[in-house]
Amino acid sequence: SFSASCKVTVTAGLPEGTKVFYGDTNSAQLYMNEDLYFDKVYRFTVSGQDLYSYYRYDGNIYKNREKLFSIREMLGPYDDFYEMKVVGHHLYVSMSTGTTGKEERYILKVDMSTLREEKIHFMKEPMSYVYRMDYDVSRDGTIYVLGHVEDQTMERSSRLWTIHPDGETEEKVLFRANQSALDSNGNNLLDAYETSIYSIDVDENGDVYYQVYIKKVQSWESLYNVYLYKNDKLMRVYDHANLIGGYGTIVVKGGDVYEALPFYDLGKSMYTFKILKNGETLYSDESSRTPSFYGLKVDADGSAYYAYNHKVYKDGKLLYDPGLPFITAIDIMD
């Protein structure tokens, strides 16, 4: 003699195959394949079969376009939201706070099942200036932060912070600029005034790969040598590279290392943008224009997706041209 009812909402499922998410997050528009997917996106990341996004105007974190929770009260009034990643049931956000000349970066870690938050202040002291910073999180929750900073004594250095799940933090100075132009290991190969970090990625086994570069001035042109390291050991060097905007220039997948780098030929005044796999060129494009790049992703089959000159490419072929003035982020869902 009892009855019950429930409300069921049926929504359209995602299409088969790899889903490519891209867009201009400054205008809050995110596309999936060829269609507008969501218009409340300032930052986003893909984890498994879920897409997480942050919209700064309402302070909410969304999961697959549905509000998950408000993150606004977890942030300080003047904190800047840089990049977000999801590993397991934790959300990790790269943040900055502080006044001019005393900048501090921290990682906001949120347990999405309990909404318990933790602000991980990994710097020993505020920095005079943070020139560049990138980070990644391993499967066990270890956070690796790569940064190029200037401390309160006006000395520049490139550093790697390792933040373990129990909260213990290690700081390693990779390159330091001082009067003798020696790095922290006593070598003068790289002077940190001309050296900076570029990108970092942690593979499935917990191995840490990162890129640093050194500036070379030739015929009044700034060129760069890019150094690729694995667990602090040099793997290879690329000559005559030319730096580009955005992050995510390195992806390690299935034991293979994919990189996106532009090179500049002074003699021809031409740029050659390359997608590399284990140091060998997979795809390239030559142009007289300075290339624009915002992200490289690789699917389970080894296909490379990337945003190049505000268009989306797969394995060297044009995939989507949405006609947007800018594409500033890309991610994929297998």
Side-chain angles (χ1 to χ4, degrees):
S1 61
F2 292 93
S3 65
S5 64
C6 68
K7 181 180 178 180
V8 177
T9 301
V10 180
T11 58
L14 295 176
E16 295 293 326
T18 301
K19 278 69 70 177
V20 185
F21 297 91
Y22 60 92
D24 179 9
T25 53
N26 293 320
S27 64
Q29 292 184 323
L30 180 67
Y31 286 75
M32 182 186 69
N33 297 349
E34 296 184 277
D35 300 317
L36 181 65
Y37 178 77
F38 199 26
D39 61 357
K40 292 183 178 181
V41 178
Y42 176 62
R43 295 288 185 263
F44 72 95
T45 186
V46 171
S47 178
Q49 294 299 301
D50 296 308
L51 182 132
Y52 297 85
S53 58
Y54 164 68
Y55 189 47
R56 61 180 171 181
Y57 295 108
D58 63 16
N60 290 328
I61 297 292
Y62 292 85
K63 178 181 179 181
N64 302 328
R65 296 183 290 190
E66 297 293 331
K67 178 184 173 181
L68 196 58
F69 64 91
S70 173
I71 198 174
R72 176 169 286 167
E73 61 269 21
M74 301 178 186
L75 310 177
Y78 304 107
D79 292 1
D80 287 328
F81 193 114
Y82 282 95
E83 187 180 0
M84 58 187 291
K85 298 178 186 290
V86 171
V87 177
H89 58 277
H90 283 98
L91 170 73
Y92 300 84
V93 184
S94 172
M95 305 291 303
S96 75
T97 187
T99 59
T100 302
K102 290 186 177 181
E103 185 177 354
E104 184 180 359
R105 295 291 179 96
Y106 67 90
I107 301 295
L108 176 67
K109 179 182 177 182
V110 183
D111 186 323
M112 293 186 292
S113 60
T114 64
L115 297 188
R116 182 176 179 270
E117 63 177 279
E118 178 184 2
K119 289 184 177 180
I120 304 172
H121 296 269
F122 54 87
M123 291 181 167
K124 295 180 180 178
E125 61 180 359
M127 295 295 163
S128 174
Y129 196 81
V130 177
Y131 291 93
R132 190 175 178 92
M133 191 159 282
D134 195 14
Y135 79 109
D136 202 7
V137 184
S138 67
R139 289 180 174 180
D140 68 356
T142 303
I143 308 168
Y144 299 90
V145 184
L146 191 65
H148 183 64
V149 298
E150 184 177 282
D151 65 19
Q152 296 298 312
T153 69
M154 310 303 287
E155 180 180 80
R156 294 188 193 181
S157 59
S158 295
R159 307 185 187 191
L160 176 66
W161 290 269
T162 303
I163 307 163
H164 298 281
D166 61 4
E168 182 181 352
T169 301
E170 303 169 17
E171 179 185 277
K172 181 182 297 183
V173 178
L174 304 176
F175 309 106
R176 186 193 305 275
N178 51 38
Q179 291 181 347
S180 59
L182 301 178
D183 65 23
S184 59
N185 298 316
N187 302 315
N188 59 8
L189 173 64
L190 299 178
D191 177 2
Y193 278 111
E194 302 295 340
T195 304
S196 183
I197 62 92
Y198 206 65
S199 188
I200 187 170
D201 193 55
V202 182
D203 70 6
E204 299 91 337
N205 301 316
D207 291 317
V208 182
Y209 296 76
Y210 59 85
Q211 296 166 324
V212 299
Y213 64 81
I214 179 171
K215 182 165 70 174
K216 302 282 189 180
V217 178
Q218 183 177 345
S219 300
W220 304 103
E221 293 281 352
S222 293
L223 300 176
Y224 303 84
N225 289 348
V226 175
Y227 295 72
L228 174 65
Y229 287 82
K230 175 184 178 182
N231 298 330
D232 297 333
K233 294 184 179 179
L234 181 64
M235 292 184 67
R236 51 183 163 266
V237 181
Y238 303 104
D239 296 329
H240 296 99
N242 191 279
L243 299 185
I244 45 182
Y247 294 86
T249 60
I250 176 173
V251 174
V252 185
K253 194 87 168 183
D256 295 313
V257 183
Y258 298 81
E259 297 169 274
L261 289 173
F263 297 86
Y264 187 65
D265 188 322
L266 278 172
K268 297 193 299 181
S269 297
M270 296 290 289
Y271 295 92
T272 303
F273 176 77
K274 294 184 178 181
I275 300 294
L276 304 149
K277 178 181 178 181
N278 300 326
E280 300 295 328
T281 301
L282 277 181
Y283 318 107
S284 66
D285 181 70
E286 191 175 72
S287 173
S288 59
R289 295 173 50 200
T290 303
S292 172
F293 169 81
Y294 279 92
L296 168 68
K297 297 294 177 179
V298 180
D299 67 15
D301 296 326
S303 290
Y305 298 78
Y306 49 96
Y308 167 60
N309 287 344
H310 309 299
K311 298 179 178 64
V312 178
Y313 290 80
K314 175 186 177 183
D315 293 340
K317 296 180 180 179
L318 179 64
L319 190 61
Y320 304 119
D321 181 3
L324 298 174
F326 299 102
I327 295 179
T328 59
I330 183 173
D331 209 340
I332 61 173
M333 182 186 296
D334 287 347

